[in-house]
Amino acid sequence: GESVGLHLPTLSVQEGDNSIINCAYSNSASDYFIWYKQESGKGPQFIIDIRSNMDKRQGQRVTVLLNKTVKHLSLQIAATQPGDSAVYFCAENIRAAGNKLTFGGGTRVLVKP
Amino acid sequence: GAVVSQHPSWVICKSGTSVKIECRSLDFQATTMFWYRQFPKQSLMLMATSNEGSKATYEQGVEKDKFLINHASLTLSTLTVTSAHPEDSSFYICSALDLSSMNTEAFFGQGTRLTVV
């Protein structure tokens, strides 16, 4: 079946540098994408979302880019901080399918001081 | 954002017993809630969609008689793991849809760590 996948399982980044996390999706019917942050032993925490009719959205220190041509999603974190260390998941949503979320495999971000 | 509360946050049970996990939306009504299971170092896998007042919809491969879901009110869904076995040990997470939000955002509970011994 169709799924959402990630390229890199682990990303080590120096504190203060920018982080880029990538995600590939395969369902062209997905109309809404979300990035979540999950710390150990906790539930996913919403970071930022983007609709399929957009290609870029910015939040506080985070930017999500959507390239529908190649079905690629990325999350950019500016000036990465120790508190950003976590596992990051992308998820895709198809409203017509009852708003079920399909999660990617996850990328662990380790911030080095 | 809206708050979803899960209880308990962790539970240890003996093999063969049943365990009930509660998921509550604290400040909004949720006609739809979702239950996920997450094994260590893996992603969240959707188990079932819980709809208030109707039967849950289970994903392929999830045993409905083993994972009983009840969504009796607009703010509460429960997942009961019946006759639990060690292979059921996992992190169970619920989410609730807030249809009043512009993006129909899903809010997640803090998860329940189930260990079956």
Side-chain angles (χ1 to χ4, degrees), chain A residues 67-91:
Chain A
N67 185 330
K68 293 183 290 293
T69 302
V70 296
K71 295 188 180 66
H72 185 267
L73 193 68
S74 70
L75 176 70
Q76 301 177 3
I77 305 174
T80 312
Q81 302 170 359
D84 294 327
S85 293
V87 178
Y88 290 81
F89 294 97
C90 66

mmCIF file of all heavy atoms in Angstrom, chain A residues 67-91:
data_model
loop_
_atom_site.group_PDB
_atom_site.id
_atom_site.type_symbol
_atom_site.label_atom_id
_atom_site.label_comp_id
_atom_site.label_asym_id
_atom_site.label_seq_id
_atom_site.Cartn_x
_atom_site.Cartn_y
_atom_site.Cartn_z
ATOM 1 N N ASN A 67 7.014 19.758 -1.943
ATOM 2 C CA ASN A 67 7.239 19.664 -3.383
ATOM 3 C C ASN A 67 6.366 18.534 -3.910
ATOM 4 O O ASN A 67 6.715 17.354 -3.811
ATOM 5 C CB ASN A 67 8.718 19.377 -3.677
ATOM 6 C CG ASN A 67 9.028 19.399 -5.163
ATOM 7 O OD1 ASN A 67 8.160 19.087 -5.997
ATOM 8 N ND2 ASN A 67 10.238 19.784 -5.501
ATOM 9 N N LYS A 68 5.232 18.900 -4.459
ATOM 10 C CA LYS A 68 4.286 17.892 -4.904
ATOM 11 C C LYS A 68 4.749 17.175 -6.161
ATOM 12 O O LYS A 68 4.329 16.052 -6.435
ATOM 13 C CB LYS A 68 2.917 18.531 -5.125
ATOM 14 C CG LYS A 68 2.268 19.024 -3.834
ATOM 15 C CD LYS A 68 0.881 19.582 -4.079
ATOM 16 C CE LYS A 68 0.921 20.889 -4.836
ATOM 17 N NZ LYS A 68 1.550 21.959 -4.013
ATOM 18 N N THR A 69 5.619 17.826 -6.918
ATOM 19 C CA THR A 69 6.103 17.211 -8.161
ATOM 20 C C THR A 69 6.845 15.917 -7.873
ATOM 21 O O THR A 69 6.682 14.916 -8.572
ATOM 22 C CB THR A 69 7.007 18.180 -8.916
ATOM 23 O OG1 THR A 69 6.285 19.383 -9.187
ATOM 24 C CG2 THR A 69 7.485 17.577 -10.232
ATOM 25 N N VAL A 70 7.687 15.967 -6.838
ATOM 26 C CA VAL A 70 8.460 14.774 -6.471
ATOM 27 C C VAL A 70 7.951 14.135 -5.195
ATOM 28 O O VAL A 70 8.604 13.244 -4.647
ATOM 29 C CB VAL A 70 9.959 15.112 -6.353
ATOM 30 C CG1 VAL A 70 10.513 15.541 -7.696
ATOM 31 C CG2 VAL A 70 10.189 16.210 -5.314
ATOM 32 N N LYS A 71 6.824 14.597 -4.695
ATOM 33 C CA LYS A 71 6.216 14.063 -3.481
ATOM 34 C C LYS A 71 7.208 14.069 -2.325
ATOM 35 O O LYS A 71 7.527 13.023 -1.731
ATOM 36 C CB LYS A 71 5.677 12.651 -3.726
ATOM 37 C CG LYS A 71 4.524 12.593 -4.737
ATOM 38 C CD LYS A 71 3.919 11.197 -4.765
ATOM 39 C CE LYS A 71 2.775 11.113 -5.745
ATOM 40 N NZ LYS A 71 3.203 11.294 -7.140
ATOM 41 N N HIS A 72 7.686 15.240 -2.008
ATOM 42 C CA HIS A 72 8.711 15.389 -0.994
ATOM 43 C C HIS A 72 8.330 16.498 -0.024
ATOM 44 O O HIS A 72 7.824 17.555 -0.421
ATOM 45 C CB HIS A 72 10.054 15.713 -1.661
ATOM 46 C CG HIS A 72 11.198 15.776 -0.705
ATOM 47 N ND1 HIS A 72 11.605 16.949 -0.127
ATOM 48 C CD2 HIS A 72 12.016 14.806 -0.212
ATOM 49 C CE1 HIS A 72 12.630 16.706 0.670
ATOM 50 N NE2 HIS A 72 12.902 15.424 0.631
ATOM 51 N N LEU A 73 8.598 16.227 1.232
ATOM 52 C CA LEU A 73 8.275 17.160 2.318
ATOM 53 C C LEU A 73 9.539 17.331 3.164
ATOM 54 O O LEU A 73 10.273 16.356 3.390
ATOM 55 C CB LEU A 73 7.168 16.536 3.157
ATOM 56 C CG LEU A 73 6.388 17.342 4.180
ATOM 57 C CD1 LEU A 73 5.525 18.371 3.492
ATOM 58 C CD2 LEU A 73 5.515 16.401 5.009
ATOM 59 N N SER A 74 9.805 18.541 3.613
ATOM 60 C CA SER A 74 10.951 18.734 4.492
ATOM 61 C C SER A 74 10.601 19.680 5.634
ATOM 62 O O SER A 74 9.704 20.516 5.511
ATOM 63 C CB SER A 74 12.153 19.272 3.718
ATOM 64 O OG SER A 74 11.925 20.605 3.306
ATOM 65 N N LEU A 75 11.328 19.494 6.720
ATOM 66 C CA LEU A 75 11.189 20.358 7.885
ATOM 67 C C LEU A 75 12.552 20.977 8.154
ATOM 68 O O LEU A 75 13.545 20.250 8.287
ATOM 69 C CB LEU A 75 10.725 19.563 9.101
ATOM 70 C CG LEU A 75 10.640 20.361 10.411
ATOM 71 C CD1 LEU A 75 9.491 21.364 10.352
ATOM 72 C CD2 LEU A 75 10.465 19.427 11.617
ATOM 73 N N GLN A 76 12.598 22.276 8.199
ATOM 74 C CA GLN A 76 13.825 22.974 8.505
ATOM 75 C C GLN A 76 13.699 23.608 9.881
ATOM 76 O O GLN A 76 12.728 24.315 10.144
ATOM 77 C CB GLN A 76 14.125 24.039 7.449
ATOM 78 C CG GLN A 76 14.266 23.471 6.052
ATOM 79 C CD GLN A 76 14.500 24.546 5.005
ATOM 80 O OE1 GLN A 76 14.615 25.715 5.314
ATOM 81 N NE2 GLN A 76 14.559 24.131 3.742
ATOM 82 N N ILE A 77 14.678 23.341 10.724
ATOM 83 C CA ILE A 77 14.711 23.944 12.050
ATOM 84 C C ILE A 77 15.903 24.881 12.090
ATOM 85 O O ILE A 77 17.048 24.456 11.870
ATOM 86 C CB ILE A 77 14.853 22.877 13.164
ATOM 87 C CG1 ILE A 77 13.742 21.830 13.047
ATOM 88 C CG2 ILE A 77 14.828 23.533 14.542
ATOM 89 C CD1 ILE A 77 13.903 20.659 14.020
ATOM 90 N N ALA A 78 15.657 26.127 12.343
ATOM 91 C CA ALA A 78 16.732 27.119 12.395
ATOM 92 C C ALA A 78 17.332 27.165 13.801
ATOM 93 O O ALA A 78 16.641 27.005 14.801
ATOM 94 C CB ALA A 78 16.177 28.484 12.022
ATOM 95 N N ALA A 79 18.671 27.379 13.821
ATOM 96 C CA ALA A 79 19.378 27.541 15.102
ATOM 97 C C ALA A 79 18.977 26.449 16.084
ATOM 98 O O ALA A 79 18.423 26.714 17.160
ATOM 99 C CB ALA A 79 19.102 28.915 15.675
ATOM 100 N N THR A 80 19.273 25.223 15.711
ATOM 101 C CA THR A 80 18.850 24.064 16.502
ATOM 102 C C THR A 80 19.358 24.144 17.935
ATOM 103 O O THR A 80 20.523 24.474 18.182
ATOM 104 C CB THR A 80 19.341 22.764 15.849
ATOM 105 O OG1 THR A 80 19.030 22.795 14.461
ATOM 106 C CG2 THR A 80 18.660 21.561 16.460
ATOM 107 N N GLN A 81 18.478 23.827 18.862
ATOM 108 C CA GLN A 81 18.776 23.918 20.286
ATOM 109 C C GLN A 81 18.732 22.522 20.928
ATOM 110 O O GLN A 81 18.125 21.613 20.379
ATOM 111 C CB GLN A 81 17.744 24.823 20.965
ATOM 112 C CG GLN A 81 17.688 26.220 20.389
ATOM 113 C CD GLN A 81 16.494 27.014 20.919
ATOM 114 O OE1 GLN A 81 15.693 26.518 21.704
ATOM 115 N NE2 GLN A 81 16.383 28.265 20.479
ATOM 116 N N PRO A 82 19.361 22.348 22.070
ATOM 117 C CA PRO A 82 19.326 21.036 22.740
ATOM 118 C C PRO A 82 17.899 20.516 22.945
ATOM 119 O O PRO A 82 17.653 19.312 22.858
ATOM 120 C CB PRO A 82 20.020 21.317 24.072
ATOM 121 C CG PRO A 82 20.975 22.423 23.764
ATOM 122 C CD PRO A 82 20.242 23.301 22.775
ATOM 123 N N GLY A 83 16.974 21.413 23.189
ATOM 124 C CA GLY A 83 15.587 21.008 23.386
ATOM 125 C C GLY A 83 14.917 20.486 22.124
ATOM 126 O O GLY A 83 13.807 19.946 22.192
ATOM 127 N N ASP A 84 15.592 20.629 21.004
ATOM 128 C CA ASP A 84 15.043 20.106 19.742
ATOM 129 C C ASP A 84 15.363 18.630 19.567
ATOM 130 O O ASP A 84 14.857 17.999 18.632
ATOM 131 C CB ASP A 84 15.601 20.888 18.552
ATOM 132 C CG ASP A 84 15.153 22.344 18.538
ATOM 133 O OD1 ASP A 84 14.014 22.619 18.994
ATOM 134 O OD2 ASP A 84 15.938 23.204 18.097
ATOM 135 N N SER A 85 16.203 18.076 20.416
ATOM 136 C CA SER A 85 16.541 16.649 20.336
ATOM 137 C C SER A 85 15.281 15.826 20.573
ATOM 138 O O SER A 85 14.653 15.929 21.631
ATOM 139 C CB SER A 85 17.611 16.285 21.369
ATOM 140 O OG SER A 85 18.845 16.897 21.070
ATOM 141 N N ALA A 86 14.933 15.030 19.582
ATOM 142 C CA ALA A 86 13.701 14.236 19.646
ATOM 143 C C ALA A 86 13.608 13.422 18.364
ATOM 144 O O ALA A 86 14.501 13.482 17.520
ATOM 145 C CB ALA A 86 12.475 15.138 19.788
ATOM 146 N N VAL A 87 12.527 12.675 18.234
ATOM 147 C CA VAL A 87 12.225 11.999 16.973
ATOM 148 C C VAL A 87 11.154 12.810 16.267
ATOM 149 O O VAL A 87 10.171 13.232 16.875
ATOM 150 C CB VAL A 87 11.738 10.559 17.202
ATOM 151 C CG1 VAL A 87 11.386 9.898 15.867
ATOM 152 C CG2 VAL A 87 12.804 9.748 17.926
ATOM 153 N N TYR A 88 11.357 13.028 14.994
ATOM 154 C CA TYR A 88 10.430 13.825 14.206
ATOM 155 C C TYR A 88 9.743 12.931 13.172
ATOM 156 O O TYR A 88 10.393 12.143 12.483
ATOM 157 C CB TYR A 88 11.174 14.963 13.505
ATOM 158 C CG TYR A 88 11.650 16.011 14.481
ATOM 159 C CD1 TYR A 88 12.819 15.815 15.221
ATOM 160 C CD2 TYR A 88 10.933 17.185 14.686
ATOM 161 C CE1 TYR A 88 13.249 16.750 16.142
ATOM 162 C CE2 TYR A 88 11.364 18.132 15.601
ATOM 163 C CZ TYR A 88 12.512 17.913 16.328
ATOM 164 O OH TYR A 88 12.931 18.843 17.243
ATOM 165 N N PHE A 89 8.441 13.063 13.102
ATOM 166 C CA PHE A 89 7.639 12.294 12.151
ATOM 167 C C PHE A 89 6.892 13.232 11.222
ATOM 168 O O PHE A 89 6.353 14.244 11.662
ATOM 169 C CB PHE A 89 6.579 11.448 12.875
ATOM 170 C CG PHE A 89 7.128 10.359 13.737
ATOM 171 C CD1 PHE A 89 7.287 10.549 15.103
ATOM 172 C CD2 PHE A 89 7.468 9.130 13.190
ATOM 173 C CE1 PHE A 89 7.788 9.539 15.910
ATOM 174 C CE2 PHE A 89 7.959 8.115 13.995
ATOM 175 C CZ PHE A 89 8.126 8.331 15.349
ATOM 176 N N CYS A 90 6.848 12.863 9.958
ATOM 177 C CA CYS A 90 5.905 13.521 9.072
ATOM 178 C C CYS A 90 4.663 12.639 8.982
ATOM 179 O O CYS A 90 4.736 11.427 9.208
ATOM 180 C CB CYS A 90 6.488 13.753 7.683
ATOM 181 S SG CYS A 90 6.837 12.248 6.757
ATOM 182 N N ALA A 91 3.552 13.232 8.708
ATOM 183 C CA ALA A 91 2.311 12.481 8.570
ATOM 184 C C ALA A 91 1.492 13.096 7.454
ATOM 185 O O ALA A 91 1.535 14.303 7.236
ATOM 186 C CB ALA A 91 1.516 12.495 9.879
#
